[in-house]
Amino acid sequence: MDNAKKSKTPMSTTTRLDKDEQGKSIDQKLYRSMIDSLLYLAASRLDILFSVCLCARFQACPKESHLHAVKRIFKYLVYTQSLGLWYPRNSTFDLHTYSDANFGGYKVDRKSTSGTCQFLGNMLISWFSKKQNSVALSTTEAEYIAAGSCCAQVMWMKQQLLDYGIIFEKVPIKCDNTSAICLGKNPVHHSRTKDIDIRYHFINDHIERNDVELVFVPTKDQIADIFTKPLDEQSFSRFRMELGLCEID
């Protein structure tokens, strides 16, 4: 890898991985070992989380196109060997979160990808990137499912912090979809599926209790975007820095 051409992002914005049934098959054992190593590293290198999780979906029958995508992740890691999470000593102690979704982004079954991250002040304490269980019929639906998952994580965190005597009210869940925010705030709205209906009542209940609140954030400032899809170099580098990943000597 020392002689490999380095990459500034783990995945190109033009990459659209699918099963590639006509592609050339590769050694499954080799592919799985590469994915296992990357999944282990993703525990602290959250900037590769989305790319690794996407490539991991093709372990059953990997093709050359999938291997090329994995190799790009390794090339990116070579380029960013000194990156690590930084937790500043003088950070504030307010709990706030970001929630986002890439509507129909997975080419195989058109399911959306949820991405969320939670901060205590400037310190990142939790994050995830996950394909949604059901096919969303709209961007609003996909964003609302992601917000529901984020709300559940926030409630768990609040309970843990309560054991230390720390109480938070109206924890902001920052979302870049105004329709999803209105759906959470307005009890007149009714969803068309049971899946969304459950999440609607769940979030709405916690909003009424002042546990959380849905807050609008412009797409250009939506940090959770890094967990839902490939980004261009400029956006990727900015979000990576805002998550707390920086050069550590």
Side-chain angles (χ1 to χ4, degrees), residues 31-57:
Y31 187 82
R32 287 186 172 183
S33 65
M34 296 171 75
I35 292 296
D36 286 345
S37 299
L38 289 172
L39 284 171
Y40 177 79
L41 183 60
S44 58
R45 285 296 301 269
L46 50 108
D47 49 334
I48 64 171
L49 182 60
F50 168 76
S51 303
V52 174
C53 289
L54 178 59
C55 292
R57 297 171 189 172

Side-chain angles (χ1 to χ4, degrees), residues 105-125:
Y106 186 41
K107 194 175 179 181
V108 175
D109 54 15
R110 287 305 177 188
K111 290 183 179 178
S112 305
T113 301
S114 298
T116 72
C117 53
Q118 291 77 33
F119 290 83
L120 270 177
N122 297 326
M123 301 176 292
L124 182 67
I125 56 174

Side-chain angles (χ1 to χ4, degrees), residues 99-228:
S99 170
D100 194 28
N102 181 20
F103 173 56
Y106 186 41
K107 194 175 179 181
V108 175
D109 54 15
R110 287 305 177 188
K111 290 183 179 178
S112 305
T113 301
S114 298
T116 72
C117 53
Q118 291 77 33
F119 290 83
L120 270 177
N122 297 326
M123 301 176 292
L124 182 67
I125 56 174
S126 177
W127 60 89
F128 78 79
S129 174
K130 182 182 178 182
K131 185 176 72 169
Q132 295 180 359
N133 295 327
S134 58
V135 178
L137 301 179
S138 65
T139 303
T140 300
E141 190 172 323
E143 294 275 0
Y144 204 69
I145 291 174
S149 299
C150 186
C151 181
Q153 182 72 3
V154 168
M155 296 311 300
W156 179 82
M157 288 182 176
K158 287 187 63 174
Q159 187 60 45
Q160 298 301 309
L161 290 168
L162 189 61
D163 294 340
Y164 296 94
I166 303 171
I167 301 175
F168 288 106
E169 292 186 352
K170 286 192 173 183
V171 176
I173 299 177
K174 299 177 183 179
C175 175
D176 61 1
N177 186 281
T178 54
S179 296
I181 293 174
C182 291
L183 185 61
K185 293 181 177 180
N186 192 345
V188 176
H189 283 274
H190 297 283
S191 53
R192 292 174 290 181
T193 67
K194 181 180 178 181
D195 189 44
I196 302 304
D197 188 51
I198 292 172
R199 282 170 175 76
Y200 165 73
H201 289 297
F202 175 75
I203 298 178
N204 185 256
D205 182 48
H206 287 295
I207 290 176
E208 290 181 349
R209 294 181 185 180
N210 289 328
D211 289 326
V212 299
E213 61 175 339
L214 293 176
V215 178
F216 176 75
V217 62
T219 302
K220 65 180 180 64
D221 298 324
Q222 178 54 274
I223 300 176
D225 216 17
I226 199 172
F227 300 115
T228 64

Side-chain angles (χ1 to χ4, degrees), residues 40-89:
Y40 177 79
L41 183 60
S44 58
R45 285 296 301 269
L46 50 108
D47 49 334
I48 64 171
L49 182 60
F50 168 76
S51 303
V52 174
C53 289
L54 178 59
C55 292
R57 297 171 189 172
F58 304 100
Q59 293 183 79
C61 188
K63 304 292 184 178
E64 270 193 345
S65 58
H66 307 138
L67 182 61
H68 291 157
V70 172
K71 285 183 176 180
R72 179 180 173 116
I73 299 175
F74 278 104
K75 291 176 182 178
Y76 166 74
L77 290 172
V78 171
Y79 180 75
T80 58
Q81 293 183 57
S82 57
L83 279 184
L85 274 174
W86 176 256
Y87 293 93
R89 181 185 302 176

Side-chain angles (χ1 to χ4, degrees), residues 87-107:
Y87 293 93
R89 181 185 302 176
N90 57 349
S91 174
T92 57
F93 207 73
D94 58 303
L95 181 61
H96 59 105
T97 72
Y98 292 83
S99 170
D100 194 28
N102 181 20
F103 173 56
Y106 186 41
K107 194 175 179 181

